[in-house]
Amino acid sequence: MLDFLNQIFPLAIAASIPIMITAIGGLFSERSGVVNIGLEGLMLVGAFTSSITIHYFDQAGNNNEYVVWIAILLAGIVSGLFAILHAYASVSLKANQVISGTAINMLATALTIFFARFLTRSQNISLLNRADRYQKIPILSDIPLIGNWLFTDIYITSFFVLLLCGIAWFIIFKTTHGLRLRSCGEYPQAADSAGINVVKLRYQAVIISGILSGFGGAIYIVTIAGEFNGSVNGFGFLALGALIFGKWKPLNIVFATFFFGFMSTFASLSFVNEVISSFRIPYQFYNALPYVMTLFALVIFSRNASAPMALGEPYDAGKR
Amino acid sequence: GPKLDYDKGTFTGPYCDDLDVFADAKKAAIGMVTDSGTIDDKSFNQGTWEGIQCYNAKHTSAVKYLQPSGETKEDYINAIDNLVDAGYKMIVAPGFKFENAIFEAQTTHEDIKFIIIDGAPHSGNYVPDIKSNTVSVMFAEEQVGFLAGVAAALQTETGKVAFVGGMEIPAVQKFGWGYVAGVAYANDTYDLNVVVTDYLYQGTFTEVTAGQTIAAGMYDEGIDIIFAAAGGVGVGVINEAKTRTEAGEEVWVIGVDSDQYDAGKYGTAGKSVILTSAMKRVDLAAYNYSGALATNSFVGGKQVTYDIKNDGVGLPANNPNLAADTLTKVDTVVAAMKADTIVAPNTKEKLTTYLTSKGYVTPGTITY
Amino acid sequence: MENKHKSARERFIHYFSDESNRRKLAPYISILFGLLAGLILMLLIGQDPIKGYINILNGSIFKGLFEGNFRRLGGTLAIATVLTFTGLSVAFAFKTGLFNIGVGGQMLFGGFIVVLLGNVLTLPKPVHLLVIVLAAAIGGALWALVPGILKARYRISEVVTTIMMNYVAMWTVSYFVRRWIPGHYETESSMIKESASLKFELLTDLFSGSAINLSIILAGLVVVFIWYILEKTTFGYELKAVGFNPDASKYAGMKVNRNILYSMIISGAIAGLAGASYYAGYTNHVKLGVVPNFGFDGIAVALLGLNSPFGVVLSALLFGVLRTGGEYLNAMTSIPKELVDIIVGLIIYFAAATLLIQFMLTKLIKKMKKNDEKHIEEKVVE
Amino acid sequence: MDYVIEMLNITKDFPGIRANDNVTLQVKKGEIHALLGENGAGKSTLMSILFGLYQPDSGVIKIKGQEVKITDPNVANEYKIGMVHQHFKLVHNFSVTENIILGLEPKKTFGRVDITYAAKKVQDLSNKYSLKVNPYDLIHDISVGMQQRVEILKMLYRDAEILIFDEPTAVLTPQEIDELMEIMRNFVNEGKSIIIITHKLKEIKKVADRCTVLRKGKYIDTVDVKNTSEEELARLMVGRDVIFKVDKAPFKPGKMVLEINNLKRTDKVNLSKSLDVEHLELREGEILGLAGIEGNGQTEFIQVLTGLKELESGEILFLGQDISNLSIREKSALGIAHIPEDRHKHGLILDFTLEDNIALQEYYKSPFSNNGILDRGYMKQYAKDIIKRFDVRSGKGELTLTRSMSGGNQQKAIVGREVARNPKLLIAVQPTRGLDVGAIEFIHSELIKARDEGRAVLLVSLELDELLNLSDQIAVMYEGKIVGSLSSEDADENKIGLLMSGGNNVGK
Ligand SMILES: Nc1ncnc2c1ncn2[C@@H]1O[C@H](COP(=O)(O)OP(=O)(O)OP(=O)(O)O)[C@@H](O)[C@H]1O
Ligand SMILES: Nc1ncnc2c1ncn2[C@@H]1O[C@H](COP(=O)(O)OP(=O)(O)OP(=O)(O)O)[C@@H](O)[C@H]1O
Ligand SMILES: [Mg+2]
Ligand SMILES: [Mg+2]
């Protein structure tokens, strides 16, 4: 049993990290009052950007550690820029944010494939450079239990993401910037009359959501997928789910995504685990398990979760 | 304005150079329809397209593929109609999913030639009905699966190997059955005790994450070679293998359909986690029939099997990761297969019989 | 009366002075913008855009039409039919304040029930059809019931639950198909019986053997029915009221939770009908391991159709034309398939930006009015 | 000239309407300047321009003689202009302190908000002006009156010298109003200047020095309050004479309509919202006023009465029938009509047309619908009748989206809808909150009319004037109990005020 848990934890962390950081990105956007169902598309843009970046490094025979980081960084930048489309529609044009998000998803799919074909002649880009995974971390890995669960077989990018989640929590709940951000999502009229530039803040927040989703997409590529293939497998939608499941709170989101990662890892490992597979439960059951468990968890933990009050409402500065 | 040469590729496949040029071949207009995957699936859509491209490279022609908007017979027929309307004279359709669509199309478009790979046209009753303008190309996946099994059994250090399938489609199943038989053969012949510890279908060709997790679970169990015939799931498997290898473990993946050596590369030293690949030369079939069309030597109305005898299946010519000894032994098996002294099982029943003949008590924990 | 004597220009100004009329126009303008952007893109990649668009129209409608071959039109209509159902499902939920991302799953489950009953029942065709259509609606409704209950009882966002239910549908269907109605291949179910197929010889022949089927009539009926419910019945009135303002609806004595549930169920039932249309009219069996894409396309269709039943029909037709025509375009030219996807994405994006478009119209009208005023003044001076 | 603020010839257009038309407003240092006008006269717009929320289309703003451009509230802040909006601009789940410092937060390292320091500063300010707020309370936990003080603190925190109050008294209890007036005077004594928007002439008389009147967006006049009577002010505002005293027929009570015995309900969160009503009765042809300071259980009482909340024990007899367990719909069908307190949240579906909103209570019944099918023709005609009868003004008649209507007209539509149902019992909760005198006059006369036709009217209001003017009997609620009941002859402001604040029981 303990062995099984020891095995699940590192894999579950790896599986949840891309969703986690994307959900945190979504958190910024939604805390500022802008619904972002375009997370999937933004992730995809990040996945593509990182892949094409690494692809060029690969071709140049560059195998330095920083390649991956450059790719992640660029992915963030490009996704952040792409998110401006969403910000422009939903903040400046006061558009229906759901439509705009849907458009973002559609455009991302079409454009990334278009450019992948255009640049590499294939929508399938395999990569040589990938994120490093550390089997052991000095001292930390030796801590009983926790050492096995948190500091074994861990990708360096996972630390990066956890750090970002911490920073996100700090910004949103401790800083003046966070206070202002939240006020825009709750009651932008109040923010405005307090001299806060709602439009600017929302732009910032949507762009941050793009950047973090871009990181998410890139990390998906450099840890899990190892190649780009025109999709991020619905991770963006799962991130959206985790955001709601996590009641728009960073810590809860971290747990929500981890819960999901844990369940899906458990499901996948059940195929392989000798004891569990000896029960001969149909594989469809395991495959459905993460989603079913999430539904149950929602019932238990997320009743009456309250979204930011002004979520989805375009802010009309002077109602002009 | 400047033209973007968008989808006319240079992807002629790694084996194009080796293929013979057809004498007095004319220009040909060859269309292809992909099934569920994309054209760049590193698998048989890509292989087929590479064959066609290769023909194009050698005998400048008109080539085009379409990815249908859906996966139904109607969608396929629409795509075929579109290609026909656009003037393509031969349509290549890789996948058993095209069986119904080709059955209809071969009648509606009598002057067009059809190649269906991995399946045979039928009216819905699964009884092949191949018109004279159609060829059904089948592959002996079990044979190359068998070879992969032999190689795996000979190369494993831990004595544990595994098979991961995507969805249970016929081609994947045959790879798997052959693989298990190959391991059994090696155990029997070379007095080994290698176990196919895990044999499973993940259920999709897309769940990369699941592929990675499953592979991790398997490698943790001590399995060191996984034969992955699983599309995107296989991508996850390969990725896990790379990560482990870079961290110093010694684990392997056996690739499928095409030579996946490149997909398994890590670092810049040119090393790969792909032990070998169970290749299925769809490119060869597509190339050959393109040539047949262009040289007016197309003979339809039949089913053709690409197998070890006509180099339709096999391990790659270059196998940097296989030991010399393994290669020799595999070559023996190849020879025996060509001589029909080894017959790889291509159904579940035949596999059971085969295993029994190799002294296996009926399969235990594993269901094939 | 007066209108008769007004010039076209005056009528234009008069018509668009009304904000709601401006809003109605927005989708058309966004389509125009999307197509314009497509035109520019084609030019950019060195292709002839006129030929491009002609190809799209030919491939989806006209090719063969004048020789009496209606196959392409039929195919486009068949796709549009499925999209009408999924779009309507999303739109109905939207109208009542719910965002149903789970149409794909509901459609799949409804379709599964259809294929199941199409396999195991032996009935005369009319009865069989009736049974499967009803069963499809019930199947879809059942699948939507879970998010409905979770929303009504626990206030859990249907956005998450419907996403989850999509995946659950995929695996549930996969399990039961393989248990009960396995096909020749492990990845699909067996075919439904002829008596359960919505294909109708007369219709198929009329459209030269295309996929068009009886569900197009069903779609027409359902669209009118839903419109009627929403606009003409107390039930629809309640659903909309609850969607807009649950608090006030409660004050007016409506049962808010029950209405949320009903709304979700109906949306699911329509999605289930999409399943009937697709699985009994188009494919005649279920493929495993995929959630149909029509669900997500339905969101776009609904949004472009301004969530109104008739708007949905129009936008479903447009999507049908672009999808089928796009493939033809791809076959005929070296314009890539992704280009059509980009155009569709842009249309949706511009649809989101309706406000910009309305704003521009407002400005135009103002300018025209001002010009007119000046004109009149000048006249007076004369 | 020692004007601190001069707004000269301001014009502001909204699509379809000129909200301010060449308006001029001049405020002297240290004065309380009232801004008076009907609903939609353009008062809020003018103040929003001063506060930088809108830009004027033409006109000049001068501060202390200097011409300035106030492009956004930040600029207004710099000129030390502060504003308490008609609808409070407070974030409901933020603390008092967080709301006050928003936009001007004291910082610690790493951009952290220094909340302890801020809270202390807020506490100090609060003490200085005896505002009695707790810096750590969450906004949604405190009363409306307290929320207003938070708004005031927001201005003080920003060192505002010119304070704008947009209808500050509409939401306050009489006691709170008095306290507010006191606070305002303190400010003026400190040299600050105040602009106050209100519809209540009495208040203007009480605190203001001068008064500027707007009508339909146009500037009418600026008068010295001391030398101008209430009647005069009203005439300036409306453009005609206004009758203040309502005419009522003599009190002729009929059958018992509503009788409440031993009604109990415990509120675990807020005990003062628990109910314990021993006895209350209401007859045909009677207006029963329910007085009480906000938050003393009136809202809950009405919710129990109408079926929105359940009661624990006791009986509610309606025409002799116990209705305590009936649903909202059943009660409404029996003939109970309800004009809710919050018209936007509870009274209307803002995205429905007027036609649909007018049918909101009866759409399910014939003749509005038959067998579940709406009779659109009837609905339209009915809506037209109501619009005409109750003078509901809007752009496109029954097809207007209610969202685009003015507050007064929205309220008229609700009153019309409920009164026209000819209910046996009409429950009106704060029916005139925030309306101008014209609209108030109209709604009052409708309530009286209902009474004179023999209906029972339960009027809940925070405004004593309204209660005293309309009611035949006034009951006072304090901490969920009826602490006194007075006939209109016996009642006066003092007695009621005393009861409201929990003083000794009289009457009964
Ligand atoms: N953002 C806006 N867009 C369009 N019209 C507006 C807008 N704001 C106000 N108006 C219109 O301008 C006019 C003046 O409104 P304003 O809010 O200034 O009135 P007011 O005097 O404050 O009324 P009240 O007493 O109801 O508060 C009204 O007719 C109103 O409908
Ligand atoms: N977008 C708009 N279009 C037209 N009129 C508007 C718009 N926004 C606000 N108004 C009108 O502007 C006026 C002022 O709005 P404000 O926010 O002051 O509310 P109000 O109507 O005074 O509300 P209340 O009556 O509850 O005090 C109102 O008459 C309102 O209906
Ligand atoms: Mg106002
Ligand atoms: Mg008002």
Side-chain angles (χ1 to χ4, degrees), chain D residues 120-168:
Chain D
K120 192 173 168 310
K121 202 168 162 198
V122 168
Q123 188 72 66
D124 290 348
L125 273 176
S126 163
N127 292 345
K128 181 173 168 198
Y129 295 97
S130 25
L131 295 177
K132 297 179 201 143
V133 301
N134 175 2
Y136 290 105
D137 279 347
L138 293 183
I139 295 299
H140 57 55
D141 292 338
I142 62 179
S143 71
V144 182
M146 274 298 162
Q147 292 179 4
Q148 186 175 65
R149 292 178 179 198
V150 177
E151 284 283 16
I152 295 173
L153 277 169
K154 243 161 108 177
M155 297 191 295
L156 297 175
Y157 182 83
R158 287 162 170 75
D159 293 326
E161 290 296 325
I162 297 135
L163 312 181
I164 308 167
F165 290 85
D166 194 349
E167 287 188 47

Side-chain angles (χ1 to χ4, degrees), chain A residues 181-262:
Chain A
L181 180 84
R182 283 182 286 135
S183 72
C184 289
E186 297 292 341
Y187 192 15
Q189 285 79 3
D192 194 10
S193 78
I196 292 166
N197 189 337
V198 178
V199 169
K200 193 173 123 195
L201 235 99
R202 286 192 168 178
Y203 259 90
Q204 266 177 16
V206 174
I207 291 171
I208 290 176
S209 84
I211 295 174
L212 296 188
S213 308
F215 288 166
I219 291 171
Y220 169 76
I221 291 293
V222 298
T223 62
I224 294 171
E227 68 168 39
F228 175 80
N229 197 13
S231 130
V232 287
N233 260 320
F235 272 34
F237 285 107
L238 293 176
L240 185 69
L243 175 59
I244 301 171
F245 181 13
K247 302 185 190 179
W248 292 270
K249 297 203 176 84
L251 210 65
N252 290 4
I253 291 171
V254 169
F255 281 113
T257 46
F258 179 74
F259 174 83
F260 186 81
F262 187 90

Side-chain angles (χ1 to χ4, degrees), chain D residues 39 86 167 199 343 434-435:
Chain D
N39 286 128
Q86 192 171 352
E167 287 188 47
H199 297 297
R343 52 177 166 268
L435 301 188

Side-chain angles (χ1 to χ4, degrees), chain D residues 48-268:
Chain D
S48 299
I49 290 172
L50 182 57
F51 191 57
L53 287 172
Y54 298 138
Q55 299 310 308
D57 295 329
S58 66
V60 181
I61 301 177
K62 286 184 183 170
I63 293 181
K64 295 183 183 146
Q66 290 287 326
E67 190 175 327
V68 295
K69 281 258 173 304
I70 305 179
T71 45
D72 64 68
N74 275 330
V75 179
N77 267 331
E78 278 163 31
Y79 292 116
K80 301 203 178 302
I81 301 173
M83 178 161 176
V84 175
H85 298 268
Q86 192 171 352
H87 301 285
F88 298 154
K89 312 246 172 183
L90 297 173
V91 182
H92 73 127
N93 57 357
F94 278 19
S95 72
V96 167
T97 306
E98 285 173 329
N99 267 293
I100 291 172
I101 61 173
L102 189 63
L104 265 183
E105 309 85 352
K107 278 190 206 178
K108 290 193 286 192
T109 44
F110 304 116
R112 276 176 304 159
V113 185
D114 194 342
I115 206 80
T116 15
Y117 172 77
K120 192 173 168 310
K121 202 168 162 198
V122 168
Q123 188 72 66
D124 290 348
L125 273 176
S126 163
N127 292 345
K128 181 173 168 198
Y129 295 97
S130 25
L131 295 177
K132 297 179 201 143
V133 301
N134 175 2
Y136 290 105
D137 279 347
L138 293 183
I139 295 299
H140 57 55
D141 292 338
I142 62 179
S143 71
V144 182
M146 274 298 162
Q147 292 179 4
Q148 186 175 65
R149 292 178 179 198
V150 177
E151 284 283 16
I152 295 173
L153 277 169
K154 243 161 108 177
M155 297 191 295
L156 297 175
Y157 182 83
R158 287 162 170 75
D159 293 326
E161 290 296 325
I162 297 135
L163 312 181
I164 308 167
F165 290 85
D166 194 349
E167 287 188 47
T169 58
V171 293
L172 299 183
T173 62
Q175 277 78 1
E176 285 173 326
I177 293 176
D178 285 344
E179 285 170 26
L180 178 67
M181 303 278 160
E182 194 53 43
I183 293 168
M184 285 186 182
R185 276 191 209 101
N186 280 342
F187 290 155
V188 176
N189 290 340
E190 281 203 349
K192 297 183 195 290
S193 316
I194 293 178
I195 305 173
I196 174 172
I197 299 179
T198 177
H199 297 297
K200 297 181 195 164
L201 305 173
K202 226 160 88 186
E203 287 165 6
I204 296 181
K205 287 294 285 182
K206 216 160 161 186
V207 293
D209 302 307
R210 296 195 306 146
C211 176
T212 294
V213 184
L214 302 184
R215 193 194 308 150
K216 300 203 169 122
K218 291 201 171 68
Y219 172 79
I220 301 298
D221 201 358
T222 301
V223 295
D224 264 326
V225 171
K226 245 183 274 147
N227 313 326
T228 318
S229 69
E230 280 185 38
E231 286 74 17
E232 186 73 22
L233 284 173
R235 204 180 41 73
L236 280 174
M237 168 168 72
V238 187
R240 62 178 164 85
D241 284 327
V242 180
I243 312 120
F244 280 99
K245 205 63 196 163
V246 277
D247 271 338
K248 299 201 283 194
F251 182 38
K252 278 185 292 187
K255 272 195 301 186
M256 182 77 75
V257 174
L258 182 71
E259 190 182 340
I260 289 165
N261 293 313
N262 298 317
L263 182 150
K264 277 201 172 57
R265 176 173 198 283
T266 334
D267 193 313
K268 285 170 199 92

Side-chain angles (χ1 to χ4, degrees), chain C residues 26-188:
Chain C
Y28 301 101
I29 298 188
S30 54
I31 291 168
L32 203 75
F33 275 28
L35 295 179
L36 229 103
L39 186 138
I40 295 168
L41 277 175
M42 284 189 244
L43 282 176
L44 272 180
I45 60 170
Q47 298 287 341
D48 180 351
I50 307 293
K51 236 165 85 189
Y53 283 124
I54 288 177
N55 271 320
I56 288 183
L57 287 178
N58 273 342
S60 56
I61 303 173
F62 294 116
K63 177 88 201 203
L65 196 67
F66 304 114
E67 292 92 61
N69 184 336
F70 287 62
R71 196 181 148 74
R72 287 182 183 273
L73 178 61
T76 304
L77 288 177
I79 293 272
T81 306
V82 183
L83 285 173
T84 301
F85 281 118
T86 55
L88 191 63
S89 170
V90 177
F92 184 84
F94 263 132
K95 272 257 170 190
T96 52
L98 297 168
F99 186 21
N100 185 0
I101 313 194
V103 172
Q106 293 144 22
M107 170 182 171
L108 177 62
F109 195 76
F112 160 66
I113 302 283
V114 163
V115 174
L116 182 66
L117 297 184
N119 263 290
V120 299
L121 297 184
T122 310
L123 293 167
K125 184 149 183 159
V127 185
H128 208 165
L129 288 185
L130 200 68
V131 169
I132 60 148
V133 165
L134 283 178
I138 294 172
L142 271 179
W143 211 251
L145 191 65
V146 178
I149 291 175
L150 293 184
K151 171 85 176 188
R153 256 195 81 107
Y154 303 117
R155 291 280 170 272
I156 298 174
S157 162
E158 74 283 3
V159 175
V160 212
T161 53
T162 51
I163 293 176
M164 299 295 148
M165 288 301 284
N166 277 346
Y167 293 97
V168 180
M170 183 169 100
W171 294 112
T172 309
V173 168
S174 161
Y175 176 72
F176 285 109
V177 161
R178 297 198 53 180
R179 245 194 111 104
W180 293 339
I181 40 170
H184 185 79
Y185 297 114
E186 269 80 353
T187 53
E188 55 193 40

